[in-house]
Amino acid sequence: MPSKSPHWLSLACLLLVWTSAAPAQQLPVIPETRCRSELDARLAFGLCPEAAFDFYATGAYRAEVPRPDSVLGYPIGSWHTTYGRMERYLERLAASAPQRVRVIDYGQSVEHQTMHLVIVSAEENIRRLDDIRGNLARLADPRRTDPASARTLIAETPIVVWLNAANDGNETAAFEAAMQVAYQVAAGEDSRTRLLRDSALTVINLAHNPESHERMVAWYNAFVAGDADPAALEHDAPWGMSTNNNHYQFDLNRDALGLTQTETRAVVAELQRWRPQVFVDLHGQTTQYFFPPAAPPVMPLYPASLNEWLEVFGRGNAEAFDAFGWSYYTRDRFDLFYPGYWDTYPALHGATGMTYETDGGGSKGVRWRRDDGTILSFADGIAHHFVASLATVETAARNRTTRLQAYYDDFRSALLQAGGTDVRTVVVVPGRDPQGAARVATTLLRHGIEVGRTIRETRVTVRSFMGGPPRAVDVPAEAYVVNLAQPNGRLAATLLAPNIPLPDAYAAQELARRARNARRADSEHERYTFYDVTAWNLLLAAGVDGYWSSEPLDLGASPLELPDHLRKAPGGWVSEALNRTGGVNGRARSSYVWSPGGTGSFRLLARLLGEGFEIAVSERPLIVDGERYPRGTFVARVDRNPTALHERVGELAREADVMVTASQTAFPDRGQAGTGSEDTRGIRAPRVGVVAGEGVRITSYGHLWFELERRVGYPFTALRAAGLDRTDLSYFDVLVLPSGSYGSTLGDAGARVLREWAEGGGTLVAYGGGATFVMERDLGTSHQEPDTTRPPADTIRAILRTIDGAAPAGTAVPPLLSPEARPDAPLNVPGSFLRGRVDRTHWLTFGYERDEIPVFMRSLPLRVSAQGANAIVFSAADDLVLAGFAWPDNTARTYAGRPYATVDQVGRGIVILFAEDPLYRGVYDGTAGLLLNAIFVGAPPRRDADH
């Protein structure tokens, strides 16, 4: 069994004593026990002894290894370190201790910052890094390692502890602490540090998210005054400057699910290469320290040993913190359910994954006044991460054998239990979107999941991810197959199971809150504790066709390998598919034709439109050279384009991975419509503006930025929301309002300008909070107001009985129903998949040929458009929810029969609304085609003279 009291206690005790260890250069120190005045503290920034901590208290260090402050020029915690200065220190550290330190360049960020891992261990371990990685790879694959061989490997293998810093790069204490930890483990000569080097391989990722870190540091260093007042300018960076997102404003701390971003892909590749048994993600900006055990809910598919090890590491940290009398908390707020975080995700790769949240740095700057008047310093937050990190490495080192054995056992149980669900086989079918299916398969391979591809058609009995009973289907050749009986079966089951319900105890807790809130006024509601979304199946998220079976199926699939050039490839179009099959099947005499559906079809359209070619879209199905093409098919007519079309369409089709038909005739051999049909209308290259800045949810803006720039390859202009009413919008054909809160930035004046612009012929697209703004302001749409009439008393009593019936028995509720309580008020689902019904006669749904699609939702539905089109409507109550949490009774009443997407004519223009961000996190994007139709197909012909 693991030791219950491993800790960094001995070093912690030493650190309580201020030693005479001399710094490499003379640094300013204020001698009083507390700063004499606020001015003293602000001039000293983090140097005030109220926050003093001696990082060098052990006193025994290898002399030739430079301390961070000697290279940086200032004490850790007194200034925010830039990326370049950190790299300068890493270079000096590695050069001074090459037998103990390796710095590995493992990737590049979007803005071309080189990403580094620092490997620190004993000389013997550093000499045999390849052997250690090989041993861990064998432990992670019990098919080739029996228990006896595993014990032999464990005896000779150090434990690997990964310390992950600057994932949320604006939580800056982690970045600074990582440098100090690297120094301590590399240079320390005390017995505790030698234990860490001998028994552990410490892998330090100093900056998971370089762009986020650099933006924050540039802002803060420019305006730092050391003012602890939370209202001070230095704690309130402008929009975009202090986000925890990368260049494209993607939250990398949630991107481990979809692996959409280049930084995430690089980290995942290294995670699989180094195979840590412990993974700590260092965060910040709480007001006191958090470390595990985690809060509920914990996803039920994690290894059974996870909770035990969280307890072990939590107790080790607690002893180290208790030695200082430091405050901290556990088992609250930070859960382990959504698998895209950098504690949950490593846990699915066999590690003990943990989030540590420190209490200093980031927007709190070098000093921050808490609500009780005490001052928190940047140095405090760094010191806390430093002590927790070392305590964790020591806990791992002291439990090396037991933890490595559990690592092997967890992979063995995943292999034997096929991940822990009743799913044994998953099939991803190319269907209407072969690119989307290939993207899902590519993502699974990037996760380290084994995937095969069928070589022949096979008839099997399976279930659809859209629900329903088992049925016989013909699985075609070129389908992707995942057998969950594999070492990474637990990860595969997590990503591919149709639904993973919340643990019963947690669901009961939230239902009990609901029973109490139903009797209270809004101002007295308890906060529901869902930390993130509750559904994430990759097939439903991408909207691709697929099946699953509770039996292992022999489909004759050959194994796939992920090419090296795709493993760490930059996020975007060029890295989304396993193989390229696009092109043109000849030289057309009449037209070039390609089907809608999938991002590639829009990429080809966008590139051709951008180069000035004339493209049309068919309003109804076409017959082209004897083949049927669906409504929304794109047509490039030879007689309406220059001869350069022949060459360019082939080149661009190969790039976009789209198969294009070179039609020899416009004459349909059956049916009514060919490529010359009057129902085939021309479309223009729209001039697109996207509203950004204060009021706009920055991640929602980033999702669209990434989609248009990297996946579709089409330009747009970012327009500042504040002052939009003073902006000349006449140039633009399409304006997009991403999710956000626009009331204070656009206001009535902005709404008036948008309406006038739309009435003149513009296409306004809005979603999430943007759609709410449009519906609440007078923009000329016909969305009906919801009925807010209070139900009769007997109806309220019936609703309360339903709510109480869903709550656990014995739930205590308020003794009186507040007159202001609304038990019938709609509640949004906390990130669930709902069934959407498709109007297949409307142009907004071009490329969607099924009657139903999965729709990801966190927001409330739209109001019904009375005079326009309700193109996607949520299904009836009995089959509404596909996956994720739903409120008994309320979810059905709130969503069933209400719209997800509407279209309204406003004067000569169009207003298109979506209830939720159709590109959410870049992975919940099965609805992306609807948005791209709105932008490219819905824009009316331009009115100005150049057309």
Side-chain angles (χ1 to χ4, degrees), residues 136-145 275 301 303 347-351 407-420 447-451 482-494:
L136 293 172
R138 290 180 60 190
L139 289 175
D141 189 353
R143 293 171 302 190
R144 60 190 183 109
T145 308
R275 301 183 182 277
L301 298 190
L348 293 165
H349 281 278
Y407 180 78
Y408 170 77
D409 292 341
D410 287 342
F411 280 102
R412 193 159 180 257
S413 68
L415 178 65
L416 297 175
Q417 299 168 14
H447 281 299
I449 294 168
E450 296 169 0
V451 181
V482 180
N483 179 352
L484 274 67
Q486 58 174 286
N488 275 334
R490 184 172 285 112
L491 175 59
T494 302

Side-chain angles (χ1 to χ4, degrees), residues 500-572:
I500 300 174
L502 287 160
D504 291 342
Y506 178 81
Q509 164 192 294
E510 298 308 293
L511 293 170
R513 281 192 172 92
R514 168 70 178 135
R516 295 190 289 270
N517 287 344
R519 292 167 168 84
R520 293 171 172 158
D522 289 351
S523 62
E524 293 296 324
H525 278 189
E526 298 177 47
R527 182 180 63 86
Y528 297 110
T529 62
F530 298 100
Y531 195 84
D532 211 284
V533 303
T534 60
W536 50 77
N537 175 275
L538 289 182
L539 281 79
L540 293 175
V544 302
D545 297 329
Y547 306 103
W548 65 276
S549 173
S550 56
E551 301 293 334
L553 300 178
D554 183 7
L555 295 170
S558 57
L560 288 173
E561 294 289 337
L562 183 66
D564 287 341
H565 73 278
L566 289 184
R567 191 168 300 279
K568 298 182 182 181

